[in-house]
Amino acid sequence: MTHRTLHRAAALAALILAPQVLAAQEDKSVAVKGGIEMPGWKGIVDDKELKAGLTVDSAHFRAMGPGMHATTGPAITYWNPTMMGKGDYTVKATFSEREYMGRNNHPHPYGIVIAANDMGTPNASYLYCSAYGNGNFIVRGMGPAPFQMNGRGTAHPAVNKAEAKGKPVTQEIAMSVKGDKVSCSINGQEVASYSKAELVGAGKLKSTDGAVGVRMGHNTDAHLAGFALTKN
C-alpha cells in the first residue's frame, strides 16, 4: 500500500468516526427542574456531574399514577433508606422509555440498584444492572470508584430493542441475591450472575446487604412501575 493510499484510508476513517466523536462531545447533561418529590427517597449524582455544577435538583423524580417517573439531566442514583435488602432478596421494576432517545443522541441506561451502603458519603458503594433501548445491558458498581462487571455493556437477546428513535421500549429488570449468587434478569431471563466473592471486597461492595433503589443515566426519561423489594 502506497503512502498516498494510506493517507486516503486514514482520511476516510476520520470522516466515518467524526460524527460519532462529535455526538459524544455534544452529549452533555441537560438539567431539568424538580428535584426529588418522592417521600423517603434520596439521590446522588456522579462525581463528574457534581464537578459540572449539577446536583439532585438538576433531575426530577416524582410519583406518577401508581408508579414513579424519572427525568434526568445528570446521571443519578436514587435509593430509599427504609428499603433494605438483607440475606436473600429480589428487587424489580418495569422501566418504560416512552420516547427512546428522546433526550439524548445515543442510548442511555436505566436499572435497579442493590447493596447501597454509606450513600451520600465519599465511601458510598452499590451495584446496579441497567438496560439500554438498543438491546444492551450493563452491570456496574461503585466501591466508591467505578468497577465494571461486563465491560461497558454487552448485548443480550432478552433485552428489548426500540423500533426507532422516539418509539417506546419497556424493560422489566430484576436483581436477586440468593445464597452465594447475585444475578440480574431482564424481561424474565437471567442475563448475568456473579458470586459474592466477585462483588464484595476492597474497591467493590462492602456487602450484598444494603439499601435498594434505581439508577438513571444522564438525559433519560422513563416511567417506573411495580418497584418492589421481596424476600426470596
Side-chain angles (χ1 to χ4, degrees):
M1 186 177 288
T2 66
H3 177 75
R4 180 174 294 179
T5 303
L6 284 170
H7 180 75
R8 287 176 177 173
L12 179 60
L15 285 172
I16 293 172
L17 290 172
Q20 300 175 26
V21 173
L22 182 60
Q25 290 175 340
E26 291 178 346
D27 191 24
K28 295 180 180 179
S29 298
V30 180
V32 296
K33 295 180 180 180
I36 299 174
E37 295 182 339
M38 285 295 300
W41 285 76
K42 298 183 181 295
I44 186 171
V45 301
D46 291 1
D47 286 345
K48 67 178 182 180
E49 306 281 23
L50 280 173
K51 292 175 182 177
L54 299 172
T55 69
V56 293
D57 291 330
S58 306
H60 195 189
F61 188 46
R62 61 211 185 270
M64 182 179 287
M68 307 180 288
H69 198 94
T71 305
T72 69
I76 189 167
T77 299
Y78 295 109
W79 77 97
N80 191 326
T82 68
M83 300 181 74
M84 299 293 293
K86 295 182 179 180
D88 293 351
Y89 62 91
T90 295
V91 187
K92 68 177 182 178
T94 299
F95 295 76
S96 297
E97 194 175 4
R98 295 173 178 177
E99 293 184 15
Y100 173 57
M101 297 201 306
R103 289 181 48 79
N104 46 62
N105 56 24
H106 65 272
H108 289 183
Y110 35 82
I112 294 292
V113 170
I114 65 168
N117 287 286
D118 297 327
M119 297 299 282
T121 79
N123 298 316
S125 64
Y126 55 93
L127 182 74
Y128 64 86
C129 178
S130 294
Y132 296 77
N134 66 349
N136 289 1
F137 77 98
I138 186 169
V139 181
R140 191 170 183 251
M142 299 291 182
F147 62 92
Q148 297 171 339
M149 299 307 298
N150 70 332
R152 297 184 64 82
T154 52
H156 195 284
V159 186
N160 291 329
K161 294 182 180 181
E163 291 181 6
K165 179 177 172 63
K167 296 291 186 177
V169 61
T170 296
Q171 318 282 2
E172 182 183 275
I173 306 173
M175 294 196 76
S176 295
V177 180
K178 189 172 184 179
D180 186 54
K181 179 180 176 181
V182 179
S183 63
C184 175
S185 297
I186 299 179
N187 300 316
Q189 185 174 341
E190 185 177 287
V191 297
S193 67
Y194 308 94
S195 68
K196 288 185 178 179
E198 293 177 275
L199 297 170
V200 179
K204 294 188 177 180
L205 301 180
K206 294 174 180 65
S207 169
T208 55
D209 290 351
V212 302
V214 296
R215 168 75 180 183
M216 304 297 299
H218 69 285
N219 298 340
T220 53
D221 185 83
H223 188 75
L224 290 67
F227 182 86
L229 166 64
T230 57
K231 290 291 290 184
N232 290 342

